[in-house]
Every structure is written in C-alpha cells, then in structure tokens.
Amino acid sequence: MRIIITQNMTLDGRVEMLDGWFDPSDQDEDLAEEIRRQSAEEEVLLLGRQTFTDFRGYWPQQHQDTTGVADQLNRIDKLVVSSTMRDPQWQNSRIVDGDPLAEVRRLREAEGGDVIITGSIQLAHAVIAAGLADEYRMFVYPYWQGRGRGFFPEGHSPPSLRLLRARSFGSGVVHLAYGPAAGGHDGGRD
C-alpha cells in the first residue's frame, strides 16, 4: 500500500486551521470531483485522535452531502491512533494504540489501495520525519494565515520531490501532488 499525506493548506504552507479559511461543505464541483477521484483509490484512512473525533462529529451527519465524501468516509476502513480512546463509535473504525509508525510500516508492506493521512498534524509530521510517505498531496487555498504548523515538521528538511500532478480550480484552490525525486530519497522503500 502507498502512504499518502493529503493536507489542505494556506498559501504560506500552514495546515493548522487557526482561521476560517477552510469549509468542507463549500467545494466547487470540479474540486469535489477531484476529491471523489482520489477517494476511489483509498483503502484505509489513518487519523490521529483529534482529527478522527472531528471527522466523526461532522461527516456521519452530512446526509445531504453532494460531494460523496460522507459516504466514502462512512464506508472506508478507518484507523485512529490513540492511547486513550476505547471505542471509536464509527463504523469500520479500529484503534491503533501501539506505535503508529510500526502500523504505517506494516500497512506499507501490505497489498492494496492507498493509505491516506489527512489533518492529524502530529501523526503526519512523524510519518514525514520517519521517511515513510510515498506521496504528498496539497490542496492550497488562496489564504495567508501567517501562523500555525506547516505541512512539513519544523526543522525537518523535506525530501527531494518531483511534481506528479497539478490542477487549479475555479475557487482559487490549487491541487499539487509530489512524490520522491528520481534517484532521491524514497522514504526507505526498496
């Protein structure tokens, strides 16, 4: 399986949503189509406890969701990294209470579709720092936040990357997907 980190971010590279620049229910049709396309390749959604709790509190109640995100999230296998949660209270969910990086390594060796990490900044940063990400997907919103945590961990040198895809949307959002540069660091894959 491929480990893919997908984040919504500001023009200044901030993924921590400290202001109201992101609304999951306000997506233009082209952007929603791109999200559906990517979702079709997902097999597992791996989230930190806070992002999982936020998703669980929002998406299952979106019965009029025209993007298809709610149906996909209810259907997909979800793993939540938590040492305190005992019952995930969302269908197709399982708790990872051990070493999350060991779980990521196990998933990477398995056959199947994509493993997506979204939000979950602490988990995403740990996966990036361990060199376990196979692809980085960025949905860049036309907003300058000026503060908050970034896509890559502070003090960490991002790997050499090559552009895989780029697409802009009428809303001003730009989607960028990067993978390891040819001959560069590949997250430890052989």
Side-chain angles (χ1 to χ4, degrees):
M1 299 177 117
R2 295 183 319 145
I3 307 300
I4 299 172
I5 297 178
T6 299
Q7 298 286 18
N8 297 306
M9 63 189 256
T10 61
L11 288 171
D12 57 336
R14 303 298 159 197
V15 296
E16 188 172 13
M17 295 177 190
L18 301 176
D19 298 332
W21 55 268
F22 176 75
D23 179 352
S25 65
D26 185 23
Q27 308 293 331
D28 63 39
E29 183 52 39
D30 288 344
L31 180 54
E33 177 185 313
E34 177 63 22
I35 292 168
R36 283 191 296 271
R37 185 193 68 73
Q38 290 183 23
S39 294
E41 300 169 357
E42 296 174 9
E43 188 162 326
V44 175
L45 182 62
L46 177 60
L47 301 172
R49 183 197 50 80
Q50 184 61 55
T51 300
F52 178 86
T53 302
D54 292 346
F55 277 32
R56 182 185 67 195
Y58 179 81
W59 286 110
Q61 287 73 42
Q62 303 307 305
H63 304 292
Q64 303 301 318
D65 173 43
T66 59
T67 67
V69 172
D71 287 341
Q72 172 67 7
L73 289 176
N74 285 327
R75 188 173 49 247
I76 194 170
D77 288 335
K78 294 168 287 293
L79 300 178
V80 55
V81 175
S82 176
S83 61
T84 59
M85 186 180 287
R86 296 296 164 239
D87 181 359
Q89 300 174 358
W90 193 4
Q91 66 194 40
N92 303 319
S93 297
R94 177 172 67 83
I95 297 168
V96 175
D97 63 358
D99 177 5
L101 295 179
E103 181 68 14
V104 169
R105 287 181 185 97
R106 185 191 70 72
L107 289 166
R108 261 182 128 211
E109 296 303 318
E111 295 293 323
D114 295 337
V115 177
I116 303 298
I117 300 170
T118 190
S120 312
I121 300 170
Q122 185 175 344
L123 173 61
H125 283 178
V127 169
I128 291 168
L132 296 173
D134 297 300
E135 187 173 321
Y136 305 91
R137 294 179 183 167
M138 303 164 187
F139 286 90
V140 182
Y141 283 73
Y143 186 85
W144 192 271
Q145 186 167 268
R147 66 197 199 296
R149 292 177 285 178
F151 192 101
F152 291 97
E154 287 294 321
H156 176 76
S157 297
S160 297
L161 300 174
R162 66 182 170 88
L163 182 64
L164 302 174
R165 290 176 303 284
R167 182 173 177 196
S168 62
F169 302 95
S171 62
V173 173
V174 176
H175 172 253
L176 303 165
Y178 291 92
H185 175 69
D186 66 356
R189 275 226 172 181
D190 294 324

